[in-house]
Amino acid sequence: MDEILESLNEEQKKAVLHIDTPLLVLAGAGSGKTRVITHKIMYLIREKKIPLDRILAITFTNKAGSEMRERVKKSLNLTSEPRWILTFHSLALKILRFEVDSIDLSRDFVVYDEEDSINILKDIFAELNIQADKQDLKRVKEIISDIKQSNDEFVLEIYKQKEKFIEEIFNLYQKKLVESNAVDFDDILIKAVKLFEEREDILQKWKSRFDYILVDEYQDTNKIQHKLLKQLVGNRNCITVVGDPQQCIYTWRGAHPENILDFEKDFPNTKIIKLERNYRSTKKILDLANKIIQKSSGKWKKKVLVLWTDKIGNEDITLYKLPSEKYESRFIVEMVKRYNSKGYKFSDMAILIRMGYLSRILEEDFIKANIPYQIIGGLKFYERAEIKDLIGYIRFSINPNDTQAFKRVINLPPRQLGDKTIKELERIKAEKCLNWIDTLKLVLENDDLLKLNKKQKEGIHNFLNIIDSIKELGNVRPYEALTYLIDEIDYYQFLKQKYPKDYQDRVNNVEELKKVFLELDKQKKSLTEFLEETTLSQGQDSLENNNSVKIMTVHASKGLEFPIVFLPALEEGIFPSGKSLINPIELEEERRLFYVAITRAKEHLILSLAEKRTSFNGKLLNSKASRFLKDIREDIKVKKLSLNKKNKTSEKKVIVSSSATGSIKKGDLVRHKKYGKGFVVEVNHPFAIVIFEKEGEKKIKINFLEKI
C-alpha cells in the first residue's frame, strides 16, 4: 500500500482510495490526474484483488492511452501491455468486432476516415448535380456528424429547415457506407450503443466483463460516449471519472460539457474531489491562468478550480507588441535562438497558434534561420497520398465492398479505366448486388455487360491477381505483402513520374511504412488491427521526440507541456476568433481555450501581437488587442518593439485600444440586411471591414451597417 500512495498528495490519495460510490475528480491542468488513474489501477489490482483484465480505463487520445498502458505495464512489471486501456472509439470498435454477427455489418467491415467520408459526399453531390467546393463538403460532413452525435431525431428536422437536400444527402451517405461495408467515426459509437439498447443479453455480458471503470478527460465526452458509459456502469458504483470543466474546448466537435457539470445527477451519491495543486507551471503563469478562468460565467463558475504551486519562478511575463505579423514572426525566431543559446533545447519550445494558417509565415522564417521545427496536427503520416495509396490496396484486399479504396487504387498504376467505365462498373455492381471483385470478374467473362478493350482487360486481370496475392500473404506475412505490392505496381517509378519535386521524400515515407509492416510481422498483428489503429490515430500521435520546435494549434496542444511556450497573434478576431465574438457560448469556449494555452507553459510564457496584420485580401489592417489581455493587464509587462536598426523598445503598462471613427468603430458588433451579424475589424471612413458570421470578411459602406 505504501508503494502505491507514497508519491501522492493528500487529495490524490483520497481519489485513489475512494471506491464506495461514484467518484468525480475535478483535476486542474498539471495536477497529476494521469498519476491518479495509474495508481488507482494499481490499488484496485493489489489491494482489492481485481484482475487487470477486468478493469476498463478510457482515455481521450491514443497517445494518452499508450502512455498510460506503458506506466501500468512498468508499475506492475507486466510482460505485455494491458488490453483494456483505450479510447472510447477503440472500445466501441472492439465491441463491434466481438459482436459482429449481431450487427448489420460483415466481419471484414472497415472504418472510413475523414477523407473517405468527404469523397462519399463528393460522389453524392455529383449524383444530385449540386455544385460544391471543398468547404461545402466539409460543412455538410460536420452537419451529418452533428446529427449523429446529437442522438436526437429532432436535430435532423431542424437542419431540414435550413439546409436544402440535407435529408436526401444524409440518407444517401448512410446508404453508401452500408454498400461499402464501412462505418465512419460517429457510427462506431452509435452502433455499439444501439446494440446494447436492442440486445440486453449482450449488454449484460459486457457489463459483467468489467468490475471497475475509469475515464480520463471526461469534460470532452459527447452524448453518445456518455450513454455508452452509463450502459456499461448501470446502477453500480464502480466508476471514477477525471476531468476539468475549465479545459472543455471541443464543443464544436460534439463534446457535451453537461456530462461533467451534471455528473452527480446521472450517478447518484457521487463524491467530488478537487486536485488544485499544479506540478507543471510557475506561480506567475498560474496567476494569469486563474485570472482568465475566474471570469467564466454560468454553470462553469460552480466548478472553477484555483490552481496553486510551490514553483515561484522569477521571470516576468511580457506581452510584446510588434508592428506587423512579419516582425512578430522574426521576433519569435530571435527569442528561440536566445533561449537555445541559454541551454534550452529546441524541443523545449512550442508555438501555440489559434488558427492553422498562422503557421505559414513562421515556417518560412524557421527555414531561413535553419531552426528545426515540426508542425503538429497537420498532415499526418497515414494521411499522406503515397501511404494512402498502398493502404488502399491493403484495405480492398480485406473488404472487396470498399468503394473508396477501389476508386483510389483501380487506376494505380493507370489501367485505362476512365470515369465513364468506373460508372458503368458501379451500375453493374448495384444491379447484380455484387462486391467489386465479383463485378470485375463478371465483366471479364461477359462482353455484353461492358465492352472492354484488350488493354483494359489486361489491367483488370493484373489488378485481380495483385489483390489475390495480397490477400494470400496479408494476415500471415504483412511485410512480404507490402513489398510484393510495391514491386508489382512499380510504385517508386509511379511516384517519380507523378511527384518529381518531392519524389525522394515520398519514397522515404514508403520505406518508413515498410518498417511498420516489419514490426507487424514481429508482433503477429493482423492487417485488420493495423488498419483500425491507423484510422483512429489523432494529431498528437504524430508528435516526434526529436530536437525541434513544435508549432501547433492550441487545440492540438491539449495534454502537452513545454518549458517555453509562445502565444502569438493575441488579437481580436484571431484569439478570440471572429466567429465567437457574436456568440456568447463560443466566446466562453475561447476563454477556456486561452486558459489551456497558458497552462501548457512550465517556466516561460511569451505573449505577442501584431499591431497590423495582413487580411485575406492582402490589405494591411490595424489590429486590436485580444479582450483576454485586459483581464491580466496588472500581471504582465507590455513592450512595444519597433524593431528598427537600433531595436528601440518602450514599456507601457496598459494596452492602447482603437479610437472610434464615426458612429461605427472597430470592435463593434453590427448587422447588415444581406449578410447578417458581423464584427468590425477595421474602419476607414466611409468604409468598414467586417467579418460576418456566415459570409466571412467584407468591405461595406458604414451607412449600410446597423450597430447592435
Side-chain angles (χ1 to χ4, degrees):
M1 177 71 91
D2 289 344
E3 184 191 345
I4 296 170
L5 301 179
E6 65 182 353
S7 62
L8 305 178
N9 65 38
E10 286 307 307
E11 295 306 304
Q12 289 172 335
K13 287 176 185 175
K14 289 177 188 175
V16 167
L17 297 174
H18 183 85
I19 61 168
D20 297 329
T21 67
L23 175 64
L24 169 60
V25 181
L26 295 175
S31 63
K33 61 185 177 61
T34 306
R35 180 184 295 176
V36 166
I37 295 174
T38 306
H39 282 245
K40 187 151 192 169
I41 291 171
M42 291 165 59
Y43 172 71
L44 291 168
I45 292 168
R46 290 182 181 173
E47 300 300 321
K48 294 300 172 182
K49 308 304 179 189
I50 299 175
L52 176 60
D53 252 14
R54 298 190 63 78
I55 298 170
L56 172 64
I58 303 175
T59 63
F60 190 62
T61 65
N62 291 316
K63 182 176 183 292
S66 179
E67 288 173 358
M68 194 179 292
R69 284 193 296 273
E70 193 55 41
R71 283 200 201 187
V72 171
K73 181 183 174 183
K74 190 175 177 182
S75 63
L76 295 172
N77 295 316
L78 303 174
T79 53
S80 59
E81 285 192 341
R83 284 195 306 156
W84 296 105
I85 300 177
L86 66 188
T87 64
F88 268 107
H89 282 90
S90 298
L91 169 65
L93 202 48
K94 277 185 183 289
I95 292 168
L96 295 181
R97 290 287 178 205
F98 272 113
E99 310 295 346
V100 71
D101 294 335
S102 301
I103 57 177
D104 58 346
L105 291 167
S106 301
R107 189 162 293 279
D108 54 5
F109 75 86
V110 293
V111 179
Y112 271 6
D113 63 14
E114 195 69 12
E115 185 182 340
D116 293 321
S117 294
I118 294 293
N119 285 335
I120 291 178
L121 289 172
K122 199 183 291 183
D123 291 343
I124 290 170
F125 274 61
E127 286 175 26
L128 299 176
N129 290 317
I130 302 172
Q131 293 293 318
D133 60 21
K134 195 172 182 181
Q135 287 306 311
D136 293 327
L137 295 169
K138 194 174 177 185
R139 185 177 61 83
V140 171
K141 176 62 184 71
E142 286 170 359
I143 290 172
I144 289 171
S145 188
D146 190 33
I147 291 167
K148 290 184 177 187
Q149 287 185 24
S150 67
N151 196 31
D152 187 340
E153 59 189 32
F154 293 110
V155 174
L156 176 57
E157 294 302 317
I158 292 167
Y159 275 116
K160 278 165 63 177
Q161 308 304 316
K162 300 188 292 183
E163 302 285 340
K164 201 176 179 184
F165 305 119
I166 192 63
E167 185 173 28
E168 189 174 2
I169 292 168
F170 181 86
N171 291 335
L172 277 171
Y173 176 82
Q174 287 302 105
K175 181 172 176 278
K176 287 183 181 291
L177 281 175
V178 171
E179 288 171 353
S180 292
N181 192 29
V183 293
D184 65 12
F185 284 169
D186 296 313
D187 285 335
I188 296 170
L189 296 165
I190 290 166
K191 285 183 181 295
V193 167
K194 189 180 176 188
L195 174 66
F196 285 165
E197 285 175 339
E198 295 174 351
R199 292 288 301 273
E200 181 66 24
D201 58 327
I202 293 176
L203 172 58
Q204 289 304 321
K205 180 172 78 174
W206 283 89
K207 272 175 72 173
S208 63
R209 181 77 184 70
F210 304 111
D211 292 331
Y212 206 90
I213 299 173
L214 305 100
V215 187
D216 193 10
E217 303 286 11
Y218 199 66
Q219 76 281 348
D220 292 322
T221 54
N222 61 30
K223 288 182 180 179
I224 296 289
Q225 290 165 336
H226 181 66
K227 194 165 187 178
L228 179 61
L229 187 67
K230 282 184 73 177
Q231 288 174 324
L232 288 170
V233 174
N235 58 4
R236 298 180 293 168
N237 291 322
C238 60
I239 181 168
T240 291
V241 303
V242 183
D244 181 3
Q246 294 158 203
Q247 296 187 69
C248 180
I249 58 173
Y250 293 109
T251 59
W252 52 275
R253 71 178 189 198
H256 190 61
E258 280 71 17
N259 290 349
I260 192 166
L261 294 174
D262 301 331
F263 184 81
E264 307 101 294
K265 293 178 185 176
D266 291 309
F267 296 92
N269 303 315
T270 290
K271 181 177 177 62
I272 298 177
I273 293 173
K274 293 182 178 182
L275 303 183
E276 296 178 297
R277 181 177 182 177
N278 178 286
Y279 292 91
R280 176 188 298 159
S281 310
T282 63
K283 184 178 184 300
K284 288 191 175 185
I285 291 170
L286 294 184
D287 286 345
L288 252 62
N290 286 331
K291 278 204 171 181
I292 287 293
I293 208 63
Q294 281 163 11
K295 296 280 186 179
S296 294
S297 60
K299 282 185 174 183
W300 304 97
K301 224 164 180 58
K302 298 173 188 174
K303 287 189 166 71
V304 162
L305 302 172
V306 180
L307 300 180
W308 64 276
T309 185
D310 292 332
K311 292 173 66 176
I312 302 303
N314 297 316
E315 185 178 288
D316 287 328
I317 296 170
T318 303
L319 168 70
Y320 294 89
K321 299 176 74 178
L322 289 305
S324 71
E325 75 262 37
K326 289 182 180 178
Y327 283 118
E328 183 183 41
S329 179
R330 290 172 201 159
F331 162 75
I332 290 171
V333 165
E334 291 306 312
M335 290 291 281
V336 166
K337 287 180 182 175
R338 190 183 303 175
Y339 279 117
N340 185 238
S341 69
K342 289 179 179 179
Y344 284 100
K345 296 182 291 185
F346 289 123
S347 56
D348 290 332
M349 298 178 242
I351 304 168
L352 308 186
I353 51 179
R354 176 61 187 89
M355 314 280 187
Y357 72 85
L358 295 167
S359 70
R360 182 192 58 79
I361 192 167
L362 288 164
E363 286 193 74
E364 289 174 2
D365 285 334
F366 271 72
I367 290 167
K368 285 176 191 171
N370 200 27
I371 295 173
Y373 71 93
Q374 185 195 1
I375 301 287
I376 310 298
L379 191 64
K380 294 179 281 186
F381 179 75
Y382 291 106
E383 289 175 349
R384 298 179 185 279
E386 59 274 18
I387 304 302
K388 294 202 80 160
D389 286 347
L390 297 171
I391 287 179
Y393 268 101
I394 304 293
R395 262 175 48 178
F396 188 74
S397 73
I398 293 170
N399 176 14
N401 281 301
D402 189 340
T403 296
Q404 295 310 315
F406 172 76
K407 287 183 176 180
R408 185 173 196 105
V409 301
I410 185 61
N411 274 312
L412 196 165
R415 296 186 176 95
Q416 295 191 8
L417 300 169
D419 290 343
K420 191 176 176 182
T421 306
I422 299 296
K423 280 182 181 176
E424 280 300 299
L425 286 168
E426 205 159 6
R427 178 187 60 79
I428 295 164
K429 176 183 178 292
E431 282 179 4
K432 305 291 184 183
C433 297
L434 301 171
N435 63 38
W436 282 107
I437 287 179
D438 290 338
T439 302
L440 292 175
K441 287 178 178 176
L442 184 65
V443 296
L444 284 177
E445 295 166 1
N446 195 334
D447 284 338
D448 293 336
L449 281 174
L450 184 63
K451 294 288 182 189
L452 297 169
N453 62 39
K454 187 181 176 184
K455 285 278 186 186
Q456 288 173 319
K457 287 182 178 179
E458 286 174 359
I460 291 174
H461 272 298
N462 168 262
F463 178 73
L464 290 172
N465 287 337
I466 290 170
I467 296 301
D468 276 345
S469 298
I470 295 172
K471 198 166 185 176
E472 190 178 334
L473 292 167
N475 282 323
V476 185
R477 300 191 296 279
Y479 176 76
E480 196 175 325
L482 180 65
T483 51
Y484 157 79
L485 170 63
I486 293 166
D487 292 341
E488 188 64 25
I489 63 174
D490 200 3
Y491 192 59
Y492 289 154
Q493 185 59 33
F494 171 80
L495 289 177
K496 195 169 189 177
Q497 290 172 352
K498 190 170 182 180
Y499 307 104
K501 288 184 180 178
D502 61 350
Y503 155 73
Q504 193 54 53
D505 286 343
R506 292 176 187 269
V507 168
N508 292 344
N509 287 334
V510 173
E511 289 298 314
E512 189 64 31
L513 184 66
K514 285 166 76 173
K515 290 181 193 173
V516 173
F517 272 63
L518 201 56
E519 195 61 30
L520 287 181
D521 278 7
K522 289 177 185 173
Q523 295 178 3
K524 301 198 181 308
K525 275 191 176 179
S526 71
L527 288 175
T528 302
E529 285 178 284
F530 162 73
L531 290 174
E532 287 174 2
E533 286 172 8
T534 57
T535 309
L536 295 178
S537 67
Q538 288 139 326
Q540 286 184 8
D541 298 341
S542 62
L543 189 65
E544 295 171 6
N545 293 321
N546 54 21
N547 189 25
S548 62
V549 178
K550 307 302 185 243
I551 303 173
M552 67 188 84
T553 64
V554 183
H555 282 100
S557 75
K558 179 78 177 298
L560 302 177
E561 57 182 45
F562 300 91
I564 302 163
V565 167
F566 293 87
L567 283 182
L570 295 178
E571 301 145 32
E572 289 286 281
I574 295 179
F575 207 162
S577 71
K579 188 183 172 188
S580 72
L581 298 174
I582 49 182
N583 186 323
I585 294 172
E586 290 183 12
L587 193 56
E588 276 292 294
E589 183 145 336
E590 291 288 312
R591 177 176 295 281
R592 298 193 297 274
L593 192 61
F594 191 47
Y595 171 86
V596 167
I598 290 171
T599 53
R600 299 310 95 196
K602 295 168 75 174
E603 300 167 24
H604 305 285
L605 177 66
I606 300 94
L607 312 174
S608 65
L609 61 84
E611 294 184 303
K612 289 182 183 288
R613 189 169 293 275
T614 307
S615 67
F616 289 113
N617 60 11
K619 280 195 171 185
L620 195 63
L621 303 175
N622 289 328
S623 301
K624 184 180 179 183
S626 166
R627 65 188 62 200
F628 299 141
L629 294 171
K630 293 175 186 175
D631 298 333
I632 54 176
R633 72 171 84 194
E634 301 302 322
D635 297 83
I636 59 174
K637 283 189 173 182
V638 180
K639 286 187 179 180
K640 184 173 179 178
L641 303 186
S642 59
L643 291 188
N644 56 18
K645 287 182 182 177
K646 295 179 182 178
N647 196 26
K648 292 177 182 176
T649 67
S650 62
E651 287 199 18
K652 300 182 180 180
K653 284 302 275 183
V654 294
I655 301 162
V656 182
S657 59
S658 303
S659 58
T661 306
S663 58
I664 299 288
K665 65 181 185 298
K666 185 175 175 180
D668 282 344
L669 294 178
V670 293
R671 182 182 285 108
H672 185 272
K673 280 186 178 179
K674 182 178 178 183
Y675 301 126
K677 291 181 182 178
F679 173 73
V680 179
V681 294
E682 181 67 16
V683 173
N684 188 6
H685 212 71
F687 294 99
I689 304 294
V690 182
I691 298 175
F692 289 100
E693 188 175 11
K694 294 181 180 176
E695 301 292 332
E697 191 178 287
K698 299 279 184 186
K699 185 178 180 181
I700 301 286
K701 274 197 170 183
I702 288 173
N703 57 0
F704 289 120
L705 298 172
E706 176 193 350
K707 196 170 178 179
I708 299 175

